[in-house]
């Protein structure tokens, strides 16, 4: 079982930036670079929604709502996944989750991911 740990959330004024990080906890031997990795978010009272994913080859895709503002990346040496969030808006307020897929492909549906972190809260105030 792989446990992912997110960090970097917080409260920020609209227009500000945050960088979220995600890494496997413990010495599991799980390498982020070998798997499709995604970011999802869930606002209070709403369903979890896909934000971004990055393939094993480094190809990134984004939800339209964050395109041009968010950047997903991974650091092979650090075995870490990141989400750089710029020009934040109040509607970006949500719990953000890191997810990993153990099979091939890279979906946008949350059901397609096998391992999840506990989430990190992002609050954007106007």
């Amino acid at each position: 079982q792989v446990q992912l740990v997110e960090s970097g959330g917080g409260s920020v004024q609209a227009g500000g930036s945050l960088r979220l990080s995600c890494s496997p906890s413990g010495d599991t031997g799980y390498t982020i670079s070998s798997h499709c990795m995604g970011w999802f978010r869930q606002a209070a009272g709403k369903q979890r929604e896909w934000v971004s994913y990055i393939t094993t080859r480094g190809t990134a895709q984004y939800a339209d709502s964050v395109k041009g503002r968010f950047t997903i990346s991974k650091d092979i040496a650090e075995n870490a996944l990141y989400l750089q969030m710029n020009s934040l808006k109040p509607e970006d307020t949500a719990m953000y989750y890191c997810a990993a897929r153990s099979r091939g492909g890279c979906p946008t549906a949350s059901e397609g991911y096998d391992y999840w972190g506990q989430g990190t809260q992002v609050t954007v105030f106007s």
Side-chain angles (χ1 to χ4, degrees), residues 40-61:
F40 289 77
R41 67 186 181 186
Q42 187 167 17
K46 295 187 177 181
Q47 289 188 330
R48 188 170 298 188
E49 65 172 354
W50 170 72
V51 173
S52 178
Y53 67 62
I54 187 165
T55 69
T56 56
R57 295 186 177 185
T59 300
Q61 293 291 342

Side-chain angles (χ1 to χ4, degrees), residues 26-45:
D27 186 18
T28 63
Y30 192 87
T31 54
I32 282 180
S33 62
S34 299
H35 299 84
C36 169
M37 300 294 299
W39 286 100
F40 289 77
R41 67 186 181 186
Q42 187 167 17

Side-chain angles (χ1 to χ4, degrees), residues 20-93:
L20 307 184
S21 301
C22 168
S23 293
S25 66
D27 186 18
T28 63
Y30 192 87
T31 54
I32 282 180
S33 62
S34 299
H35 299 84
C36 169
M37 300 294 299
W39 286 100
F40 289 77
R41 67 186 181 186
Q42 187 167 17
K46 295 187 177 181
Q47 289 188 330
R48 188 170 298 188
E49 65 172 354
W50 170 72
V51 173
S52 178
Y53 67 62
I54 187 165
T55 69
T56 56
R57 295 186 177 185
T59 300
Q61 293 291 342
Y62 302 93
D64 288 343
S65 58
V66 306
K67 199 172 294 183
R69 300 187 298 122
F70 290 11
T71 302
I72 190 171
S73 63
K74 52 187 177 181
D75 187 315
I76 296 174
E78 296 294 324
N79 198 27
L81 178 74
Y82 302 102
L83 185 68
Q84 178 68 43
M85 305 185 296
N86 298 328
S87 303
L88 283 162
K89 305 175 180 180
E91 51 264 42
D92 294 318
T93 295

Side-chain angles (χ1 to χ4, degrees), residues 40 48-50 99-100 103 107-116:
F40 289 77
R48 188 170 298 188
E49 65 172 354
W50 170 72
R103 297 151 283 167
T108 60
S110 60
E111 295 80 7
Y113 291 80
D114 304 294
Y115 306 112
W116 292 84

